[in-house]
Amino acid sequence: MTTAVSNGGPSKLTSYLADETRFAHIDKVLDRRGPWTDERFIGGQETKDFLRTQSKILVIGAGGLGCEILQNLALSGFNDIHVIDMDTIDISNLNRQFLFREADVGKSKALCAAEFVMKRVPGVKVTPYHGKIQDHPQSFYAQFNIVVAGLDSISARRWINATLVQMAQDDEENLKPLIDGGTEGFKGQARVILPTVTSCYECSIDMLTPPTAFPICTIANTPRLPEHCIEWASVLEWPKVFKDKKLDTDDPDHIEWLYRQASARAAQFKIEGVTWALTQGVVKNIIPAIASTNAIIAASCCNEALKIATACAPFLNNYMMYVGNDSVYTYTFEHEKRPECPVCGGESLTADVGRDWTLEKFIDSLIARQDLQITRPSLSTSRGALYWPSPPDVHEATKPNLEKLLLDLLGEEDGITVLDPALPVSLSITVNYV
């Protein structure tokens, strides 16, 4: 949207936003009952006052999806909005993250987005937080009525989902609806998660496309693609040089180091195409964002937020898919809870294994499971560590177990506890010998 300014005076849009009639169309929905109105709907001034003066909503992410969500919420009547994002603005963001300008490059996304929305929508309070969502305790999330996630990170989604489920399990009064939006090129989804009531994010983890994996022997000995050089730098060289220091794919200094290492290896094998952007894309599994997809998914998420906050219509139950590759196609369905979900399920996970399986074969079977989406699991029993890929001293001590039979290590009765960087919780597995 562009705004014309003439004679140095305020634009028509600015005047409109400052006028109380800006919510006239939304008031028509909130003033009276309609054919699809939720049975909880009260309507009238009480509902409008709750929306505009009492409700508190958190937006996680101020990127392509988050920018759209913030403006939609502000123009829908949410007046107490909080936004959290750990990233800073890059020049490449400006083609779709329209709350930012060239002068903002290098600044915090959360801070700049908050300032822009408050400037354009008078009366709206947007509170920014620059940092990781994991840095905040459960008490921080307990203050909000609704949480809207516009994230590009699977691990962050899994973490906030597990946190909100844990809060609801500890105290049912602490149930915070989570509206999750995600885009992948011309595809996207919006879903409503009521922790402990509906299926959670972890219940649908098997719907995700597993990240591309390259054979270790190829990236170690005979790289042929720029991606092989980048994987070599991140998977083999980083642990060798930095030992216990964890690679942070959101840290520009870490990406820069990987880029330089991958570039040197590519030159050694006469491979072209290693760039800083490709390095970041490979280690973060980034898929290019499409502005129109962001707009559509953000609109769906904000519609659900308005319906939950006001009960003006039944909210989504509970999953909407959008596909815009060849046309405009949407499909809604109810994603059911998974009984063996490690986050919200009530049943323990069982793994069928052969009596001749080694520990290494068992670990490979866990990594191959679509419903777990793990990559570097650490396994323990009540008697101690079975196999830990890190730190180096524990890795060396447990590495010989990989060649041993699982039956010899466990016996008939023992269960296994699994930890993984991708898992938001520890996983208990009961072994069933077949």
Side-chain angles (χ1 to χ4, degrees), residues 125-147:
K125 177 185 176 184
V126 184
T127 305
Y129 305 88
H130 179 73
K132 298 181 178 180
I133 58 174
Q134 294 88 343
D135 293 339
H136 295 273
Q138 289 187 4
S139 57
F140 170 79
Y141 297 101
Q143 65 181 302
F144 301 105
N145 300 103
I146 302 171
V147 177

Side-chain angles (χ1 to χ4, degrees), residues 297-418:
I297 298 303
S300 178
C301 290
C302 294
N303 275 339
E304 299 309 318
L306 181 65
K307 289 188 285 186
I308 291 173
T310 65
C312 63
F315 52 81
L316 181 67
N317 182 31
N318 50 32
Y319 203 114
M320 186 278 287
M321 296 177 58
Y322 163 76
V323 181
N325 298 58
D326 300 313
S327 60
V328 178
Y329 173 77
T330 60
Y331 174 68
T332 61
F333 65 96
E334 179 181 0
H335 191 287
E336 297 182 358
K337 294 183 71 173
R338 184 157 58 95
E340 67 277 12
C341 172
V343 173
C344 74
E347 300 178 9
S348 61
L349 191 65
T350 300
D352 293 334
V353 304
R355 290 180 172 270
D356 59 344
W357 281 26
T358 62
L359 178 61
E360 184 175 22
K361 185 173 182 178
F362 176 69
I363 292 174
D364 289 342
S365 72
L366 294 180
I367 295 174
R369 288 185 63 148
Q370 188 77 356
D371 61 338
L372 294 182
Q373 299 269 338
I374 58 177
T375 55
R376 300 181 71 240
S378 299
L379 282 70
S380 304
T381 67
S382 57
R383 296 195 294 271
L386 279 179
Y387 172 73
W388 287 13
S390 62
D393 55 338
V394 183
H395 170 68
E396 290 301 321
T398 57
K399 187 177 179 181
N401 287 341
L402 292 174
E403 298 177 357
K404 297 179 181 179
L405 291 178
L406 191 63
L407 182 61
D408 293 339
L409 293 169
L410 292 182
E412 294 283 354
E413 303 296 335
D414 269 350
I416 299 177
T417 299
V418 178

Side-chain angles (χ1 to χ4, degrees), residues 236-255:
L236 299 179
E237 199 65 9
W238 179 275
K240 178 181 177 182
V241 173
F242 294 100
K243 306 298 181 183
D244 297 337
K245 186 176 182 180
K246 184 179 178 181
L247 175 64
D248 185 353
T249 58
D250 291 307
D251 190 326
D253 292 336
H254 290 196
I255 300 297

